[in-house]
Amino acid sequence: AQTVTQSQPEMSVQEAETVTLSCTYDTSESDYYLFWYKQPPSRQMILVIRQEAYKQQNATENRFSVNFQKAAKSFSLKISDSQLGDAAMYFCAYRAQGGSEKLVFGKGTKLTVNP
Amino acid sequence: DVKVTQSSRYLVKRTGEKVFLECVQDMDHENMFWYRQDPGLGLRLIYFSYDVKMKEKGDIPEGYSVSREKKERFSLILESASTNQTSMYLCASSPIGQDEKLFFGSGTQLSVL
């Protein structure tokens, strides 16, 4: 079974600084998708970024970028120029290609942004 | 805008009660999911459905059942609520083959006393 591990239960960053959240996963599949979701206190899960495993190029969305290392099964999220509104729980997730479209989530990292 | 609506934001029930959690989506999505979220455990999949009357067990289906009689509605049922089912329940929906369009509801915080 696929598993997703987020080794940092909590992280903090100063406003305007950069922070990296770690995620590793375990799978025997060669094709799959990886995601980072943000859950602010409102509880609404928001897709931050999505990566297709067959694409070597790292995905980027504005201040959010990933470092995808397929051989190492690592998928870290970098947040640049951190803002107070970035404070939230961040979840890494995995989905196998084909078959059911369910996501497997990590346990989450709580990010605090200090002014 | 896609909307996934969960009928209750907070719910308090007693042990042994039958509990219905309702989820409705308005974008004609085929896939619907029920997740449970607990601190330190992340989100765990309870059940999902990819079509009307179709359902599949997720990772933690014990103590739960689901119903999908209409495409837009996916109900989670706790046949006999227990205190260990106190949790946040999140519903989500997506079109088939478009997981980038997975949308979540705002969650139901269920307390079983």
Side-chain angles (χ1 to χ4, degrees):
Chain A
Q2 293 87 3
T3 58
V4 177
T5 301
Q6 294 178 248
S7 58
Q8 307 151 317
E10 296 188 23
M11 291 281 285
S12 63
V13 64
Q14 290 296 126
E15 198 174 2
E17 297 292 307
T18 295
V19 65
T20 299
L21 307 184
S22 301
C23 174
T24 59
Y25 57 93
D26 186 26
T27 183
S28 57
E29 305 287 334
S30 58
D31 290 327
Y32 48 86
Y33 304 92
L34 296 164
F35 308 80
W36 277 100
Y37 279 89
K38 170 185 178 181
Q39 187 183 44
S42 67
R43 306 191 323 209
Q44 187 71 51
M45 294 280 281
I46 302 164
L47 177 63
V48 175
I49 206 160
R50 178 181 183 266
Q51 175 81 42
E52 296 163 337
Y54 67 87
K55 288 187 177 178
Q56 302 219 349
Q57 187 172 6
N58 289 325
T60 299
E61 287 289 341
N62 301 315
R63 297 182 295 106
F64 298 86
S65 62
V66 296
N67 183 6
F68 173 47
Q69 301 288 329
K70 191 172 183 179
K73 296 180 182 175
S74 171
F75 184 62
S76 60
L77 175 70
K78 185 171 83 171
I79 306 174
S80 304
D81 185 26
S82 297
Q83 300 176 359
L84 295 177
D86 295 333
M89 284 291 292
Y90 286 82
F91 293 96
C92 179
Y94 164 99
R95 177 173 92 76
Q97 186 178 17
S100 77
E101 298 185 24
K102 63 179 184 178
L103 269 62
V104 178
F105 286 86
K107 295 181 178 181
T109 297
K110 182 179 180 181
L111 178 66
T112 301
V113 180
N114 300 310
Chain B
D1 273 358
V2 174
K3 201 170 216 181
V4 179
T5 303
Q6 294 184 231
S7 53
S8 303
R9 192 161 175 86
Y10 298 96
L11 206 55
V12 180
K13 295 292 181 181
R14 297 217 173 266
T15 302
E17 279 193 76
K18 189 169 186 175
V19 181
F20 293 86
L21 302 184
E22 305 287 349
C23 176
V24 177
Q25 50 96 1
D26 65 0
M27 282 301 291
D28 203 36
H29 287 173
E30 292 84 7
N31 295 326
M32 294 190 76
F33 306 85
W34 274 107
Y35 285 91
R36 169 176 172 161
Q37 182 179 0
D38 299 287
L41 296 179
L43 279 73
R44 294 177 291 166
L45 182 65
I46 305 171
Y47 268 98
F48 65 101
S49 168
Y50 52 88
D51 201 353
V52 175
K53 297 191 186 294
M54 305 302 290
K55 61 185 179 184
E56 287 197 25
K57 292 180 180 179
D59 299 317
I60 52 164
E62 297 79 19
Y64 304 94
S65 62
V66 290
S67 172
R68 192 162 181 205
E69 296 296 318
K70 294 184 177 181
K71 192 174 185 180
E72 67 270 18
R73 184 181 296 270
F74 192 37
S75 303
L76 180 69
I77 304 157
L78 287 66
E79 294 289 342
S80 177
S82 63
T83 55
N84 62 13
Q85 292 179 308
T86 291
S87 185
M88 171 76 72
Y89 291 88
L90 288 167
C91 175
S93 74
S94 68
I96 283 185
Q98 299 182 63
D99 54 32
E100 71 277 13
K101 296 182 180 177
L102 178 70
F103 290 95
F104 284 82
S106 295
T108 295
Q109 178 63 53
L110 173 67
S111 296
V112 182
L113 306 178

